[in-house]
Amino acid sequence: MKYKIIYTLLFIIITSRLYSQDKATLSGTVTIKTNTETIICASIFIPEAKASTITNAYGFYSITLPKGEYTIVISYVGFETIEERIILTSNMKKDFSMPEKSKTLDEVVVKYNSSASNIRKPEMSVNKLSVSTIKKMPAVMGEVDILKAILQLPGVSNAQEGATGFNVRGGSVDGNLILLDEAVVYNTSHLFGFFSVFNADVIKDLKLYKGGIPAHFGGRTSSVLDIYQKEGNNKEFHITGGIGAVSSRLLAEGPIVKNKSSFVVAGRTSYAHLFLKLADNPNAVSFYDLNAKLNHRINDNNRIFLSGYFGKDNMNFSNFFSNNYSNSFFNLRWNHIFSDKFFSNASIIYSRYNYGLKIKYVGIDWASDIRNFNFKYNFSHHLSDKLVLNYGVNSIYYQFNPGTIKPMDAASPINADQIEKKYAWENALYVSAEHQLSDRLSLNYGLRYSNFQRLGEQHVNRYANDQAVVFNPELQIYEEGKPTGTTHYNKNMKIIDFGNLEPRLALSYTINDHQSIKASYNRMSQYIHLISNTASVSPLDIWAPSDQYLKPEILDQVALGYFRNFGNGKYTLETEAFYKNTQNKADYIDGAELIAHKAVEQVLLNGEARAYGLEVMLKKNTGNLTGWFSYTLSRAEQRTPGRNAEEPGINNGKWYRANYDKTHNLSLTAAYQLTKKWNFGGIFTYQTGKAATYPIGKYEYQGITIANYGARNINSLPAYHHLDLSATYTPKPNSKKRWKGEWIFSIYNIYGRNNAASLMFEQNRETGLSEAKRISIFGIVPGVTYNFRF
């Protein structure tokens, strides 16, 4: 089999070289003219050949054409389109620098439909957002937010008001692989989800994969959010910042060696806790983060990058408890161009997420963390104008600390303890091909092999009948199993391993230059899990690796879509239907306690999940008024049947709505440029209320009133909706001075909707009747920020 694969690859390479003898390759990089920042996903269109490509994640492109004379059209949102004639007689390296648009949007003239690449490219279930697009959206508290932007895309929702993270196509929060400069980010929010950890000033580009996920991504089952930071201006020194009512930010960038190396450093901090102190309020909530990146061009073929991030949240609630959590990563990356058709990228990455809790009246100090060491090496090989190969390796070593428990002081009754740490190693090999079979049919196919090993040192519990959860037939409930013994594994000794093949396939059939039909299938494996019985990420949740009880999740997803451009690219319609099935979806027995649990396998069972739906997105891409309408009709369900005929399973083994199921999800996003001085933005969001379980009765036991609950998640919270508006005022848009400023005025939830984060059921002391109280987090939230640049 090994030799067959080698011979097949050699045959493809030799055949492609013979096929391209009368052709030549045009390659190079596309950058921003003012600062030489590389541009991701810039479109390169050749009208005469009806051929197109896009730049990769590092601004590099390569396209092979028959020798001849061509018009090259380079385009990207927010930049002037470049048109240039070239004579291609041999392999040519050609770099392009794109100037930012200086005209108002109604002056844009579309000469070529360079957006046809989104029709022909075998890429679906993917949404790209440029920072220029995001910055036109309403700014909550005067600051644009990356995560708020992707929540307006079809198939994407949040669990509830104030929830952190996001859900994609009925998937759980931990199913999202979130990458910042290729490093994993485990918690994406500040201040209970009001801000994201992504500072928009330092973000260059982002892409969200909801399906049809390429083979070089793995380790999660729901989505991939791939975000890249800016590289820094290597021509001039600039400072950008903003001063708001709750937080402020500052970014500095400039050359280290002009036209060769540069840096960018950005920081944010909140100061609402200072106002609370002035008001004698004992509570305090704050965050800060820091982004940094260096890059150096060794020569035309070699470039190195060093990037990092650190962010932390601190919360202190009077004398009851305090909580903190932080993300951090460092990434050393090397880009190498072997030839005009052969490109590589190697990365060494360290990521860490730690979280802690102090409960003062109990006297407990609890801390946990997850860290990983990651190596990636990816190759991109442009074999011909019809075939591009991508292949590489990825290796991740994990360290899990479920909990370090300490007494807060000498008077605390808490005894120091360390929940046993866990270790794992995840490796993958992958290969994929982007293949144009004909003028109408294009494919993207690939295969990923992933292997996951649980390693020692660890004591692993043994249970009777290998069941960590037991069923009590008298009480008809599931209970925690009692270990019958333990097995000790020495350091780096293999405890258990898993291996999975993950095929990927996407195809595009072009009806004409304006419309196409696309389909995709992908299998994904997820080996680490967020141990949580809440709908969204909590700082108290812990990550755990797969083992003999917590099985790896295996997802299969299929999707079918219709795509169309109208008005020469002025309007875009995208419709997709999808179906997802997940094996080994963990669920928790009733009454499960997860915090500081030493054996989480005793409270969980493996089941299955499914999700299906229809997505529609209509975009207006040009003009003074731009934006999009998105709507998703979907269902997300879970089922955990009994392990034998005597066990009922969870919810009697029947399908029930997942915590994050949202039947209807509608969003309308608009940006309007009134004049050069005034810009307006608006977002309306409507979602079905998340699934919930209400009490259906009550009874008394020894003088205590106890609620009796119905079937799991059969009810829903009230519908979630709000309207956000913003206005941006630029006093001197045509000023030639270095100092440039603008004011942003925003109102979140302008009509004051009290969206339910949860419902609390209690007994009215006066009437004795049971009642439900809606708990809301945000009402109307005004904001103002002054942004500046010089």
Side-chain angles (χ1 to χ4, degrees):
M1 179 61 69
K2 177 177 70 174
Y3 291 115
K4 285 182 179 180
I5 294 173
I6 294 173
Y7 291 150
T8 303
L9 288 174
L10 287 173
F11 175 77
I12 292 173
I13 293 171
I14 293 170
T15 304
S16 65
R17 289 187 180 279
L18 292 172
Y19 174 75
S20 60
Q21 284 181 348
D22 293 329
K23 300 187 177 186
T25 299
L26 176 68
S27 63
T29 57
V30 179
T31 60
I32 299 173
K33 187 174 183 179
T34 55
N35 58 20
T36 67
E37 186 92 31
T38 56
I39 299 178
I40 302 173
C41 292
S43 172
I44 295 90
F45 180 59
I46 296 88
E48 296 89 347
K50 291 187 177 180
S52 63
T53 188
I54 60 173
T55 56
N56 67 9
Y58 316 101
F60 178 78
Y61 76 92
S62 177
I63 186 168
T64 302
L65 302 164
K67 296 175 182 179
E69 187 173 351
Y70 298 99
T71 302
I72 308 299
V73 182
I74 316 293
S75 62
Y76 189 72
V77 175
F79 290 82
E80 299 285 355
T81 297
I82 298 174
E83 295 178 29
E84 187 171 323
R85 295 288 293 178
I86 65 165
I87 299 175
L88 191 63
T89 58
S90 61
N91 293 342
M92 178 188 295
K93 184 175 182 181
K94 181 72 175 175
D95 297 334
F96 294 94
S97 297
M98 302 189 71
E100 297 184 66
K101 281 181 179 174
S102 57
K103 302 178 182 180
T104 56
L105 291 176
D106 58 344
E107 293 174 323
V108 174
V109 178
V110 181
K111 185 175 180 181
Y112 297 108
N113 184 11
S114 58
S115 62
S117 61
N118 79 301
I119 294 295
R120 296 182 176 274
K121 193 171 177 65
E123 184 178 75
M124 68 178 300
S125 306
V126 177
N127 294 110
K128 307 179 188 109
L129 285 176
S130 66
V131 172
S132 60
T133 299
I134 294 171
K135 288 190 173 182
K136 293 175 184 175
M137 299 173 67
V140 178
M141 300 300 291
E143 183 173 328
V144 294
D145 193 293
I146 301 294
L147 292 189
K148 293 292 190 298
I150 69 169
L151 286 173
Q152 314 314 315
L153 299 173
V156 185
S157 64
N158 59 345
Q160 61 199 38
E161 185 97 288
T164 66
F166 55 95
N167 305 96
V168 177
R169 288 185 169 177
S172 57
V173 173
D174 70 336
N176 302 314
L177 177 62
I178 302 167
L179 302 173
L180 179 59
D181 272 356
E182 301 182 344
V184 177
V185 177
Y186 290 97
N187 192 325
T188 59
S189 71
H190 289 307
L191 299 187
F192 308 105
F194 209 75
F195 293 90
S196 80
V197 299
F198 306 113
N199 183 346
D201 286 344
V202 77
I203 300 303
K204 177 167 69 173
D205 188 88
L206 69 88
K207 186 184 286 190
L208 176 68
Y209 298 86
K210 300 177 293 185
I213 298 172
H216 61 274
F217 291 119
R220 300 293 189 278
T221 56
S222 189
S223 74
V224 177
L225 178 59
D226 196 17
I227 305 176
Y228 281 88
Q229 298 185 114
K230 291 179 178 178
E231 296 157 8
N233 192 322
N234 69 5
K235 289 187 175 182
E236 299 177 329
F237 181 80
H238 287 284
I239 290 180
T240 304
I243 302 172
V246 175
S247 67
S248 291
R249 63 193 193 281
L250 188 68
L251 177 147
E253 60 179 334
I256 300 173
V257 178
K258 195 169 184 180
N259 294 322
K260 196 165 186 177
S261 59
S262 62
F263 76 93
V264 58
V265 178
R268 289 188 302 172
T269 186
S270 65
Y271 34 74
H273 60 290
L274 300 178
F275 298 118
L276 293 175
K277 286 183 179 180
L278 292 175
D280 292 329
N281 190 318
N283 301 322
V285 179
S286 65
F287 78 87
Y288 65 89
D289 55 32
L290 178 70
N291 301 72
K293 192 170 185 177
L294 303 172
N295 88 88
H296 176 68
R297 184 183 298 236
I298 300 172
N299 52 41
D300 289 343
N301 294 328
N302 291 280
R303 196 170 182 181
I304 57 173
F305 303 84
L306 178 63
S307 57
Y309 169 86
F310 181 80
K312 187 172 184 179
D313 280 63
N314 292 290
M315 289 162 274
N316 186 12
F317 297 94
S318 188
N319 292 319
F320 294 102
F321 72 93
S322 63
N323 176 224
N324 67 81
Y325 59 92
S326 65
N327 290 285
S328 60
F329 78 79
F330 297 96
N331 181 9
L332 177 62
R333 194 165 80 240
W334 169 47
N335 289 168
H336 178 63
I337 301 174
F338 292 94
S339 69
D340 53 6
K341 295 184 178 182
F342 197 16
F343 177 91
S344 73
N345 178 74
S347 300
I348 300 173
I349 307 164
Y350 168 79
S351 297
R352 184 186 181 193
Y353 173 54
N354 62 282
Y355 32 102
L357 173 69
K358 294 181 180 180
I359 303 177
K360 299 178 182 178
Y361 65 90
V362 176
I364 185 172
D365 183 351
W366 177 69
S368 301
D369 72 75
I370 175 176
R371 61 186 75 188
N372 66 62
F373 304 86
N374 191 348
F375 173 73
K376 298 180 181 180
Y377 203 5
N378 183 75
F379 298 89
S380 181
H381 201 163
H382 297 252
L383 297 178
S384 72
D385 58 321
K386 306 291 186 182
L387 181 61
V388 179
L389 284 182
N390 287 284
Y391 47 91
V393 297
N394 188 11
S395 182
I396 308 175
Y397 180 75
Y398 295 98
Q399 295 180 358
F400 302 85
N401 177 13
T404 302
I405 302 170
K406 298 184 296 184
M408 290 185 60
D409 52 47
S412 172
I414 300 298
N415 295 320
D417 194 10
Q418 172 65 60
I419 301 176
E420 200 164 28
K421 296 181 180 181
K422 301 177 181 180
Y423 306 89
W425 192 14
E426 181 177 351
N427 297 289
L429 298 170
Y430 58 86
V431 60
S432 65
E434 190 169 330
H435 198 171
Q436 184 178 343
L437 296 180
S438 67
D439 289 341
R440 292 184 180 273
L441 182 62
S442 296
L443 299 178
N444 193 327
Y445 50 90
L447 182 65
R448 181 184 181 93
Y449 174 74
S450 59
N451 176 265
F452 186 82
Q453 299 181 30
R454 276 292 309 279
L455 303 174
E457 183 178 10
Q458 187 181 343
H459 292 84
V460 177
N461 290 330
R462 297 193 306 270
Y463 298 91
N465 301 318
D466 205 29
Q467 292 186 348
V469 176
V470 296
F471 180 69
N472 187 325
E474 295 181 2
L475 298 178
Q476 288 290 299
I477 61 172
Y478 285 98
E479 298 176 334
E480 297 183 13
K482 303 299 181 183
T484 58
T486 62
T487 301
H488 179 257
Y489 292 86
N490 293 325
K491 186 175 182 180
N492 295 326
M493 182 181 292
K494 184 172 69 175
I495 300 173
I496 192 172
D497 69 339
F498 304 93
N500 287 289
L501 286 173
E502 304 173 24
R504 317 287 172 89
L505 174 66
L507 63 88
S508 172
Y509 180 78
T510 304
I511 301 172
N512 54 42
D513 287 344
H514 308 292
Q515 54 186 330
S516 65
I517 297 173
K518 300 184 182 184
S520 68
Y521 164 78
N522 63 261
R523 167 167 280 208
M524 308 285 287
S525 303
Q526 180 168 336
Y527 300 102
I528 67 171
H529 315 270
L530 190 64
I531 304 302
S532 170
N533 53 9
T534 61
S536 63
V537 178
S538 161
L540 304 181
D541 300 333
I542 62 172
W543 289 84
S546 293
D547 56 25
Q548 57 269 56
Y549 305 106
L550 181 59
K551 303 291 186 181
E553 291 184 15
I554 309 295
L555 171 132
D556 293 284
Q557 178 178 198
V558 293
L560 178 67
Y562 172 72
F563 298 76
R564 180 162 186 173
N565 290 338
F566 301 89
N568 203 22
K570 187 176 182 180
Y571 300 95
T572 303
L573 173 67
E574 301 175 5
T575 61
E576 293 189 32
F578 66 90
Y579 179 85
K580 301 166 65 173
N581 180 73
T582 305
Q583 305 171 40
N584 301 325
K585 186 66 178 177
D587 203 352
Y588 305 94
I589 63 176
D590 292 333
E593 292 290 342
L594 301 179
I595 296 178
H597 203 300
K598 292 186 177 183
V600 293
E601 70 269 13
Q602 297 173 358
V603 294
L604 62 87
L605 293 170
N606 292 302
E608 60 181 324
R610 66 184 182 189
Y612 47 91
L614 175 68
E615 300 172 354
V616 179
M617 186 176 189
L618 178 63
K619 296 189 291 185
K620 186 175 185 295
N621 302 312
T622 61
N624 281 2
L625 177 64
T626 58
W628 64 83
F629 165 82
S630 73
Y631 172 72
T632 305
L633 175 66
S634 65
R635 188 76 167 180
E637 297 175 313
Q638 219 170 316
R639 180 174 68 176
T640 307
R643 294 169 295 188
N644 53 52
E646 287 73 31
E647 293 185 12
I650 294 176
N651 200 51
N652 291 318
K654 298 178 181 178
W655 288 101
Y656 60 91
R657 292 173 61 197
N659 288 337
Y660 31 82
D661 174 62
K662 299 288 184 77
T663 306
H664 302 284
N665 183 7
L666 180 149
S667 176
L668 181 61
T669 304
Y672 181 68
Q673 182 173 332
L674 179 64
T675 66
K676 290 184 178 181
K677 290 188 175 183
W678 284 98
N679 291 274
F680 298 91
I683 295 176
F684 174 73
T685 301
Y686 175 91
Q687 297 177 4
T688 302
K690 84 178 189 75
T693 305
Y694 294 168
I696 56 175
K698 61 183 179 179
Y699 60 92
E700 286 192 4
Y701 178 74
Q702 295 183 355
I704 301 174
T705 301
I706 300 174
N708 183 28
Y709 287 87
R712 184 176 289 199
N713 286 351
I714 199 172
N715 307 109
S716 297
L717 293 181
Y720 169 88
H721 56 86
H722 59 89
L723 174 65
D724 311 328
L725 298 176
S726 72
T728 302
Y729 174 63
T730 307
K732 299 178 181 179
N734 298 320
S735 174
K736 302 297 182 182
K737 295 181 180 180
R738 285 181 58 86
W739 182 279
K740 293 179 174 60
E742 63 180 15
W743 290 92
I744 298 179
F745 308 94
S746 65
I747 301 179
Y748 174 84
N749 192 13
I750 193 168
Y751 53 80
R753 165 74 174 179
N754 290 321
N755 288 301
S758 63
L759 292 180
M760 179 180 292
F761 295 89
E762 60 184 17
Q763 187 175 25
N764 188 300
R765 294 183 178 180
E766 296 181 359
T767 64
L769 300 175
S770 299
E771 60 183 13
K773 287 187 177 181
R774 178 183 302 193
I775 299 175
S776 301
I777 298 177
F778 303 122
I780 299 176
V781 183
V784 59
T785 295
Y786 178 72
N787 293 330
F788 58 87
R789 175 182 171 84
F790 62 89

